[in-house]
Amino acid sequence: MKNLKICVIGLGYVGLPLARLFSTKYPTVGFDMNQKRVDGLMSGHDATLEVSDELLQDAISNHGFVCTTDLEKIRDCNFYVVAVPTPVDEDNYPDLAPLRGASETVGKVICKGDIVVYESTVYPGVTEDECLPVVERVSGLKFNVDFFAGYSPERINPGDKEHTVERIKKVTSGSTPEVADLVDNVYNSVLINGTHKAPSIKVAEASKIIENSQRDVNIAFMNELARVFNVMGIDTHDVIEAAASKWNFIKLSPGLVGGHCISVDPYYLIQKAQVYGVWPRIMMTARRLNDTMGEYVGEQVIKLMNKKGVLVKDANILILGITFKENCPDIRNTKVVDIYESLSEYTSNITVYDPWANAAHVEEEYHVPIVNTLPDDKKYDVVILAVAHKEFLALDIKSLLNDNGIVYDVKGILPRDIIDGRL
């Protein structure tokens, strides 16, 4: 395709890094419905911290990168990339509304010969069965005659500064062999580690959904082991270290499974499998187990308090961290909230300290008050390390405790001589 001009629709954790990368080689426009988000990006700052101010400002100043909410500014693009969220509803049923909305946007501007590539994580068939019919209806164009499509699943790991988008090996696919080659070449032109070209869009969709489902199942196994060994009085991390001495043991740790990928994506495959009459028992059990781990941590903390003679009612508790993972501001589907809610049944004196999270966003999303700085000279009956932010590793946690206070380590990273329990 000559004179390639790219539009990335959806400027979140996935879309912005990709758009910034494309802008180093092609004219690129970023499109988002959120004017506040667009204004922030055009001022040279990414609130998600996925793209540094230096890189973003370089893209704007030296590569002509533009972000907009105006459809008219993306009409002259010919290679559209959709990178919007794929959440689930309150019943864990896939919510395709953002994808359908983005497909309508594409349909309003796409022209003959153009290509639309989807990056959003979905179950096999969504691109061709759900999204492209919307583009056809809105545009009046016929798929694989007037316009074409591809799928290249995102592999962004929020907060990871090693596996950045340009270093990720990406899966690509296209709706015809020729388009598959073109899509593959476009991505290859900006990626350091290249691509894997899948034989079909459905294969590419399936490859992404099993990446996160596999990890969900593996972590669920570790969480189940933690429950078993805790009852037996055996340290789970010691067991894992010993088992990891074998060359083919997959070393993972128990923990909270939050975020927008591992804790959400398996539901898409679970739902679709049931449509075909298959009951995916392992994935469903893994999801149920992992979704209860926050409440389980709360129960373990209460047991430790009772054993140590610390009064549970009205206890002062400090939770370190609210984001779903360390060293990033992402609070999507964080399971630390489950710890908070479990303990708040016994006390309202809970301080949640997180220097990374936006306090207003946390309050709006979860109705949980947090602080971004640690209160001076306050002592706690319990300190729970819930997120492994680098700031917490430098804390003198023992100095934060009242006499007979308790330290619980969800992440399994604190020195053993200062903790009373860990997952």
Side-chain angles (χ1 to χ4, degrees):
M1 181 181 288
K2 294 181 179 179
N3 301 318
L4 192 71
K5 184 171 183 180
I6 296 175
C7 171
V8 177
I9 297 173
L11 297 176
Y13 283 87
V14 173
L16 179 66
L18 183 66
R20 196 285 310 173
L21 180 61
F22 275 140
S23 75
T24 62
K25 193 169 183 68
Y26 306 102
T28 303
V29 180
F31 180 86
D32 200 284
M33 300 292 287
N34 187 334
Q35 187 65 55
K36 184 178 179 181
R37 171 68 169 160
V38 166
D39 291 342
L41 294 175
M42 290 307 294
S43 73
H45 176 67
D46 170 26
T48 71
L49 305 182
E50 287 302 299
V51 176
S52 69
D53 290 357
E54 181 182 5
L55 283 177
L56 181 57
Q57 291 164 17
D58 174 71
I60 293 170
S61 300
N62 299 323
H63 299 288
F65 177 52
V66 174
C67 302
T68 184
T69 59
D70 186 354
L71 275 177
E72 297 304 315
K73 293 184 178 179
I74 65 173
R75 285 191 184 277
D76 61 342
C77 296
N78 50 22
F79 192 96
Y80 295 91
V81 179
V82 174
V84 297
T86 46
V88 293
D89 63 19
E90 59 185 14
D91 297 317
N92 293 322
Y93 193 86
D95 178 5
L96 298 178
L99 265 180
R100 293 192 180 107
S103 297
E104 289 184 0
T105 297
V106 172
K108 292 174 183 177
V109 295
I110 199 167
C111 297
K112 285 189 175 183
D114 291 355
I115 295 173
V116 54
V117 178
Y118 288 84
E119 290 228 356
S120 306
T121 303
V122 292
Y123 56 77
V126 167
T127 300
E128 292 159 296
D129 300 339
E130 302 286 345
C131 298
L132 297 178
V134 175
V135 179
E136 284 187 313
R137 173 176 55 80
V138 175
S139 68
L141 301 177
K142 188 169 179 59
F143 170 53
N144 264 354
V145 175
D146 300 316
F147 74 94
F148 303 89
Y151 183 81
S152 180
E154 63 89 3
R155 281 176 168 167
I156 292 292
N157 185 23
D160 190 336
K161 301 309 178 185
E162 178 182 354
H163 302 99
T164 53
V165 62
E166 60 266 36
R167 293 182 172 88
I168 296 170
K169 185 170 185 175
K170 280 182 63 65
V171 174
T172 65
S173 62
S175 56
T176 70
E178 295 76 18
V179 169
D181 287 342
L182 194 154
V183 170
D184 194 63
N185 289 336
V186 170
Y187 278 92
N188 250 314
S189 68
V190 294
L191 298 174
I192 294 172
N193 292 318
T195 61
H196 173 93
K197 187 171 64 175
S200 70
I201 287 176
K202 285 186 175 67
V203 168
E205 290 170 325
S207 73
K208 171 58 180 178
I209 206 76
I210 72 164
E211 290 175 19
N212 292 333
S213 296
Q214 181 190 64
R215 189 162 175 82
D216 194 39
V217 169
N218 285 341
I219 296 174
F221 176 55
M222 294 300 166
N223 281 334
E224 188 164 62
L225 291 179
R227 289 175 180 243
V228 171
F229 292 137
N230 284 346
V231 172
M232 298 173 69
I234 302 172
D235 189 287
T236 307
H237 293 269
D238 286 347
V239 176
I240 292 171
E241 286 297 325
S245 64
K246 188 181 181 187
W247 65 91
N248 61 351
F249 180 81
I250 300 172
K251 186 179 179 182
L252 293 171
S253 298
L256 306 178
V257 182
H260 186 65
C261 291
I262 299 175
S263 63
V264 173
D265 296 345
Y267 287 119
Y268 277 71
L269 190 53
I270 288 169
Q271 186 273 335
K272 195 62 175 178
Q274 292 178 78
V275 170
Y276 282 88
V278 178
W279 199 255
R281 290 179 175 82
I282 292 177
M283 287 190 292
M284 294 174 70
T285 301
R287 279 283 73 240
R288 283 195 295 268
L289 178 61
N290 286 340
D291 269 350
T292 63
M293 290 308 293
E295 182 180 358
Y296 174 77
V297 168
E299 293 170 353
Q300 293 299 109
V301 169
I302 291 169
K303 285 182 180 180
L304 283 171
M305 294 172 73
N306 287 331
K307 286 181 178 179
K308 205 168 182 180
V310 178
L311 189 63
V312 176
K313 181 175 169 48
D314 299 326
N316 285 314
I317 297 176
L318 173 64
I319 299 177
L320 297 175
I322 190 74
T323 61
F324 94 87
K325 65 177 297 185
E326 66 275 8
N327 304 326
C328 82
D330 196 344
I331 62 169
R332 291 176 295 175
N333 202 32
T334 174
K335 296 305 178 183
V336 181
V337 171
D338 294 345
I339 301 176
Y340 177 90
E341 291 178 347
S342 177
L343 295 172
S344 64
E345 295 181 25
Y346 301 90
T347 177
S348 59
N349 302 322
I350 303 176
T351 301
V352 181
Y353 164 47
D354 196 314
W356 287 81
N358 183 300
H361 291 169
V362 175
E363 180 72 40
E364 179 182 5
E365 182 70 21
Y366 299 109
H367 308 293
V368 173
I370 74 165
V371 296
N372 295 126
T373 56
L374 195 61
D376 292 333
D377 302 325
K378 187 173 181 179
K379 298 290 185 178
Y380 301 91
D381 300 303
V382 179
V383 175
I384 302 171
L385 178 73
V387 185
H389 290 321
K390 58 186 178 183
E391 290 85 350
F392 300 157
L393 303 182
L395 283 178
D396 180 4
I397 292 179
K398 278 292 189 181
S399 70
L400 302 175
L401 293 173
N402 288 321
D403 293 341
N404 209 37
I406 288 170
V407 177
Y408 190 88
D409 182 9
V410 175
K411 302 299 294 185
I413 58 173
L414 294 177
R416 192 170 307 194
D417 61 347
I418 73 166
I419 66 172
D420 298 274
R422 61 179 177 175
L423 193 58

